Amino acid sequence: MAATENPPPPPRTLNVQKCADARRPEIESLHSLVSNRLSSHFRLPRSLRRRTTSHVRRPKRRRSGEGADDQDKGEGDEKKEKKLCRRERRRRELTGNPELGFVVAADGTRRLRTHVWHAKRFRMVKRWGFYLPLGVQGRGRGSRAVLKLLQNGALVHDASYYLPIQLEGPQDCILSVLRMVLIPSPPVVAQMSSESLSHKVLQGACHQNAMLYNMDSSASHFVAPVLYMWQRMTSERVEWEISSVRKLWIWIHAAAFHEGCNALRIACEKQQKSVDGITVSCIQQEGRITRLDIMGNKASEVMSKILCPVTISNKTIDGHEVPEAQQQFNMDQIQKLPPGAILQLRVKDPRLLSSEVNSEFDEVAIDLVSSDTCKPFDNMELWDSHCKLDPPVPENILCREKNRKRLNSLFLEPMGQEVPGGRQQDVFSQSCPVVLLKHGHQTTFLGWSIILPLSWVKTFWLSLVSRGGHAIGLRERRWVAWKNHVPCFPHDFPDSEGYRSLLTDEGTLLDASAQLRPHMAQPQKTPMPPPWDCVVAYLHHMCRNAVKCEFLTLDMYVPRTNMTLKEHVERMDSKAMISAGDVEVMDGGGEKETLCVVRVLVRPFKEGLFEDGSLVCAPCADDLSGWNSRSEKEVEKYQEKWQLQLKQSSVESYFMQLESGKWALQVPEDPADLKTFRWPIGFITTGAVHACNDRVSVGFCDIRILAALRRQQYLQTEIKRPEIFVLVRNMKSAAYRRAIATILLEQQQEDLLFL
């Protein structure tokens, strides 16, 4: 029996004329049938017609003589290109993907590469020279859903407003610069053990958090928390060669970037004067590399979906050699990395990991846009400020190749699929160098950061969101910091200029919105930022029985390591320090006050929810009488009867704004009002998040007053407790709430983590 022959494949192209000729009899019979029913009247009655030609009407003729001048302007105007509309110009700016730099608005404000994506879903605000996503649209709620995703999912945040500064020079010179501006400063190389964290940081295996200070003035002042990391040492280098040229990244928040950059440049100049002929270069990497943050318990799982390292089957990709360590690396191993670890990889374009794009496209794309140059792989192109970073393959090329693949499956020839003009000479890449940073410490995991070229941000962002990541803004990021009891810059750094400028701007906006309301409907005006002078006034009142609420200058110091806190405590005799008040006489004859505050966790004892800017007040002896009883029933009975409230008039006059714009504390003169008056010892910087079981708040209080309160409470209760009993009152509330304050540095060695 003869084998059946396969039917011939369909033709490659279809001839429309032949198809119409074959169907001619059927079309003629259909036409005759319709003609008989309409009596050969195919035109629609005029009463049923619609005006479908209005868009092609010509404009009215101008009056005689109006267009004469325009006609004489020159024939070259017709040859000029028509100016694009604003919408089209902005669309091209925002959808473009230049290699360097942010898209800048007319007023100089920069936009993120993910600006279009965020603007459709988030409320955008102008802060620190950027348009940033504040949070999802609405009244600022949704904390319960976000914190639930933090426990059971992954949160992603575009942290492109964190800007890097690169120091380049000899290793010992860079270390001397860091010792001038960082606290805690890196130790001497000779004192480092091979297993210490400082040794791993110097090798480039781990990153480190520190506090950046400006040492230019007579007294150093705090700038911002920073994250710094060294370029990883290769095996070819001598490990501890002092004269070797090293590179270091310092990541600074945009709110303090210019101040931090000036502090580093001044330190580099001082180092150059101390060592003749040897300089340390301070290079801004803004607009070249950036980072994305991923938080949550499933952050590693989401990252493994989009990060595919170049495996052993691809020993070279885009002309880059892949080391053997990466060829044997598996993304499942990132969960085993210790906190603070640094991992450098070259990963594939996450868009090419889809099952719809097969290896057939890879071959075509590589032939079309790959670079022929071979660069060594240790992410040197990221560390080299003069090296060109190849952008990813544009989306239109990917769509064109996908369309060509579909047409080939239908045996159709693509038409008009030429590469757009001006793009053939561009070099694109199918792989991206990335640096992974793991944040946290032994007990707290804060997530990951992906450092990558700025031109690759949009590509990785869309892949993260489509693979299970939930995008968050500045407000939700602050909720995450509150949940982990980690400070958020600049809200929880009252000693920084970024904190003062942010709250000043927020206060200005609140005042402007209040002026739009009727006078009787305007809310109570509260000081922003809080007047920290009143805390020093309490010290003067305790030691001199006098009230002094305004000073020429106020230096605020926040110890953030256990060692610096112990130094202050050992130096301080409580009675002597309270009586002295740390007053220094300035050259101008004024007084310079030093306020030392520590970060505390404030929990309500039984009821209450503390907001941002709430006052932390010192209780008197009568307020603590209920704590003397050790019987639980007596304590509960006392707490139910305990109430302390101010008059509404006293609430409105608690702080008074002076003509200079500053706020001063008003101590009541009436003895009846003075009984309900409690002196402030600090303020709440981050209030408790609504709809959460944990009602803890973050605040800062004076260390001397806390020590005095602890000693007083110990004498009354005769029980040593790490907690300190305080009173908290919201700015617009008249009721005092009982609370328990805990000093963070008494429970951990350092307080350097931040978001």
Side-chain angles (χ1 to χ4, degrees):
M1 183 176 179
T4 58
E5 297 182 358
N6 295 331
R12 184 67 177 175
T13 57
L14 298 178
N15 193 329
V16 181
Q17 187 64 33
K18 291 182 179 181
C19 182
D21 293 342
R23 297 285 184 176
R24 183 183 297 274
E26 299 176 6
I27 296 176
E28 290 179 353
S29 61
L30 179 61
H31 182 272
S32 62
L33 180 61
V34 175
S35 178
N36 293 335
R37 290 187 178 183
L38 297 178
S39 301
S40 301
H41 294 291
F42 292 97
R43 299 187 63 183
L44 190 67
R46 186 174 295 274
S47 61
L48 299 178
R49 296 179 186 177
R50 301 175 65 91
R51 301 178 63 182
T52 59
T53 59
S54 60
H55 62 282
V56 296
R57 289 184 178 181
R58 296 181 180 179
K60 296 181 179 180
R61 295 183 180 180
R62 296 181 181 178
R63 297 179 181 178
S64 59
E66 287 186 1
D69 296 338
D70 297 339
Q71 200 170 11
D72 297 338
K73 287 183 180 179
E75 299 178 356
D77 295 344
E78 298 179 359
K79 298 181 180 179
K80 292 182 179 179
E81 296 183 359
K82 182 180 178 181
K83 185 178 180 180
L84 299 176
C85 62
R86 177 182 176 275
R87 180 179 181 181
E88 180 65 20
R89 294 197 308 269
R90 186 177 178 185
R91 186 190 68 82
R92 293 190 179 185
E93 289 179 357
L94 296 178
T95 57
N97 191 27
E99 180 184 348
L100 301 174
F102 296 94
V103 177
V104 182
D107 59 351
T109 307
R110 292 159 289 184
R111 294 188 177 94
L112 305 178
R113 292 296 176 93
T114 58
H115 175 81
V116 176
W117 192 94
H118 280 105
K120 295 178 180 179
R121 300 164 177 86
F122 286 75
R123 178 188 171 190
M124 306 298 290
V125 293
K126 186 188 296 185
R127 285 184 183 175
W128 313 308
F130 284 88
Y131 282 111
L132 300 177
L134 177 62
V136 294
Q137 298 289 350
R139 296 181 297 172
R141 303 301 176 92
S143 58
R144 182 177 298 175
V146 172
L147 297 180
K148 186 176 181 180
L149 286 171
L150 181 66
Q151 297 294 330
N152 304 322
L155 304 175
V156 294
H157 180 73
D158 188 356
S160 298
Y161 54 89
Y162 273 90
L163 306 174
I165 297 176
Q166 180 171 311
L167 299 182
E168 184 175 353
Q171 176 179 295
D172 58 340
C173 296
I174 295 179
L175 288 173
S176 63
V177 170
L178 296 182
R179 294 189 188 100
M180 296 181 190
V181 295
L182 295 185
I183 296 178
S185 58
V188 182
V189 177
Q191 299 178 357
M192 299 181 185
S193 61
S194 58
E195 298 181 357
S196 63
L197 179 61
S198 302
H199 181 273
K200 297 178 181 179
V201 171
L202 190 62
Q203 281 185 324
C206 295
H207 62 85
Q208 183 70 29
N209 295 333
M211 302 297 155
L212 179 64
Y213 284 80
N214 190 349
M215 305 294 182
D216 184 26
S217 58
S218 57
S220 62
H221 64 276
F222 175 72
V223 177
V226 297
L227 181 149
Y228 67 94
M229 51 182 293
W230 291 85
Q231 183 184 14
R232 192 174 185 87
M233 283 186 171
T234 59
S235 58
E236 299 176 357
R237 297 181 181 176
V238 179
E239 186 174 359
W240 299 111
E241 186 181 355
I242 300 179
S243 61
S244 62
V245 177
R246 299 290 305 277
K247 296 178 181 179
L248 177 105
W249 282 343
I250 300 178
W251 293 85
I252 308 179
H253 195 279
F257 179 72
H258 297 291
E259 186 180 4
C261 189
N262 293 334
L264 289 172
R265 287 179 177 174
I266 293 173
C268 292
E269 292 176 359
K270 291 182 178 180
Q271 190 277 334
Q272 183 179 0
K273 293 180 181 179
S274 60
V275 181
D276 297 335
I278 301 178
T279 60
V280 176
S281 302
C282 183
I283 306 172
Q284 297 185 16
Q285 296 284 355
E286 176 186 357
R288 187 173 180 271
I289 57 177
T290 186
R291 79 184 211 189
L292 300 175
D293 292 346
I294 309 175
M295 297 159 282
N297 292 334
K298 293 188 177 181
S300 302
E301 180 179 344
V302 173
M303 289 176 55
S304 61
K305 294 180 181 179
I306 68 163
L307 299 180
C308 180
V310 181
T311 59
I312 195 169
S313 59
N314 304 97
K315 294 185 178 181
T316 60
I317 182 168
D318 294 344
H320 301 278
E321 295 182 358
V322 182
E324 295 181 0
Q326 175 170 325
Q327 295 174 13
Q328 301 175 359
F329 183 78
N330 188 358
M331 284 303 298
D332 296 336
Q333 302 176 7
I334 62 175
Q335 298 182 359
K336 302 179 181 179
L337 295 176
I342 299 176
L343 181 62
Q344 301 187 20
L345 294 173
R346 174 168 288 276
V347 298
K348 296 181 180 179
D349 191 334
R351 298 172 298 177
L352 304 182
L353 304 181
S354 175
S355 58
E356 298 179 359
V357 183
N358 57 6
S359 60
E360 183 177 339
F361 163 72
D362 296 342
E363 298 177 358
V364 177
I366 290 176
D367 295 338
L368 179 65
V369 296
S370 292
S371 171
D372 295 334
T373 60
C374 181
K375 303 174 184 178
F377 181 89
D378 51 359
N379 288 351
M380 286 294 296
E381 59 267 35
L382 289 179
W383 290 92
D384 190 357
S385 58
H386 303 287
C387 182
K388 183 179 181 298
L389 298 174
D390 297 334
V393 180
E395 194 69 26
N396 59 346
I397 296 181
L398 292 178
C399 294
R400 184 170 60 251
E401 294 299 327
K402 183 186 295 185
N403 186 29
R404 183 188 63 81
K405 175 187 174 183
R406 292 178 178 176
L407 291 176
N408 290 337
S409 64
L410 297 175
F411 300 96
L412 297 177
E413 291 183 359
M415 299 179 62
Q417 299 293 328
E418 297 180 358
V419 179
R423 302 293 290 181
Q424 292 116 333
Q425 303 300 327
D426 294 345
V427 177
F428 306 115
S429 177
Q430 287 186 297
S431 64
C432 175
V434 297
V435 179
L436 305 182
L437 308 181
K438 189 173 184 179
H439 300 288
H441 51 70
Q442 300 296 333
T443 59
T444 303
F445 170 64
L446 296 180
W448 294 84
S449 287
I450 304 178
I451 299 177
L452 70 167
L454 185 62
S455 58
W456 283 83
V457 168
K458 190 184 303 183
T459 300
F460 278 83
W461 178 262
L462 296 177
S463 300
L464 284 170
V465 173
S466 61
R467 302 296 176 87
H470 182 83
I472 60 174
L474 298 176
R475 184 193 297 123
E476 293 86 359
R477 181 184 176 90
R478 191 179 178 191
W479 293 343
V480 174
W482 168 85
K483 182 64 177 177
N484 293 301
H485 299 167
V486 174
C488 181
F489 184 82
H491 300 87
D492 296 327
F493 291 84
D495 53 340
S496 65
E497 184 62 30
Y499 169 83
R500 291 184 286 270
S501 61
L502 175 62
L503 293 191
T504 301
D505 295 341
E506 290 182 353
T508 303
L509 293 177
L510 292 177
D511 294 342
S513 62
Q515 294 297 329
L516 301 178
R517 300 182 179 182
H519 179 71
M520 297 301 296
Q522 292 182 2
Q524 176 186 344
K525 191 174 182 180
T526 56
M528 292 184 68
W532 294 89
D533 298 343
C534 64
V535 178
V536 183
Y538 178 52
L539 295 174
H540 282 262
H541 175 71
M542 293 179 63
C543 64
R544 305 170 187 173
N545 197 18
V547 179
K548 187 173 183 181
C549 304
E550 186 179 1
F551 301 94
L552 295 178
T553 58
L554 177 65
D555 287 344
M556 184 180 298
Y557 176 69
V558 181
R560 293 184 172 88
T561 61
N562 200 359
M563 183 178 298
T564 55
L565 178 62
K566 287 182 179 180
E567 291 176 358
H568 279 274
V569 172
E570 291 176 357
R571 271 199 327 259
M572 178 185 66
D573 178 58
S574 298
K575 295 182 180 180
M577 293 296 293
I578 292 176
S579 60
D582 282 347
V583 178
E584 299 178 6
V585 180
M586 301 177 61
D587 296 337
E591 291 185 354
K592 182 178 180 181
E593 293 290 338
T594 302
L595 179 63
C596 180
V597 296
V598 292
R599 193 165 74 96
V600 295
L601 296 181
V602 182
R603 293 180 173 86
F605 173 70
K606 191 173 183 181
E607 59 182 359
L609 188 69
F610 308 141
E611 302 173 350
D612 296 355
S614 300
L615 292 92
V616 182
C617 302
C620 63
D622 296 337
D623 300 332
L624 299 174
S625 59
W627 298 102
N628 294 335
S629 177
R630 299 185 181 183
S631 174
E632 296 182 359
K633 294 183 179 180
E634 295 180 1
V635 171
E636 292 179 359
K637 182 179 179 180
Y638 170 79
Q639 298 300 336
E640 292 177 357
K641 295 182 179 180
W642 189 91
Q643 287 184 356
L644 181 63
Q645 287 189 353
L646 290 173
K647 295 181 180 179
Q648 188 61 33
S649 58
S650 301
V651 174
E652 297 176 356
S653 62
Y654 196 90
F655 291 108
M656 184 181 67
Q657 190 172 16
L658 306 178
E659 295 180 356
S660 60
K662 296 183 179 180
W663 293 80
L665 177 66
Q666 298 297 312
V667 181
E669 299 179 356
D670 188 2
D673 295 339
L674 193 59
K675 290 182 180 180
T676 59
F677 180 83
R678 297 296 182 268
W679 285 91
I681 63 173
F683 293 92
I684 299 295
T685 56
T686 298
V689 178
H690 293 269
C692 294
N693 296 329
D694 191 4
R695 296 179 296 168
V696 65
S697 302
V698 179
F700 286 83
C701 298
D702 187 271
I703 183 62
R704 293 166 289 182
I705 303 177
L706 290 177
L709 289 177
R710 175 177 287 177
R711 184 174 57 256
Q712 178 186 3
Q713 295 170 9
Y714 170 69
L715 294 177
Q716 289 187 0
T717 61
E718 297 182 357
I719 300 175
K720 290 186 177 181
R721 297 178 179 177
E723 302 88 0
I724 302 173
F725 306 126
V726 295
L727 300 178
V728 182
R729 183 180 68 84
N730 293 333
M731 276 287 187
K732 299 180 181 180
S733 175
Y736 288 94
R737 302 295 184 183
R738 300 172 299 275
I740 299 175
T742 305
I743 301 176
L744 264 297
L745 287 180
E746 292 182 349
Q747 299 180 350
Q748 55 193 31
Q749 293 295 327
E750 57 187 18
D751 190 18
L752 300 177
L753 292 178
F754 67 94
L755 282 181

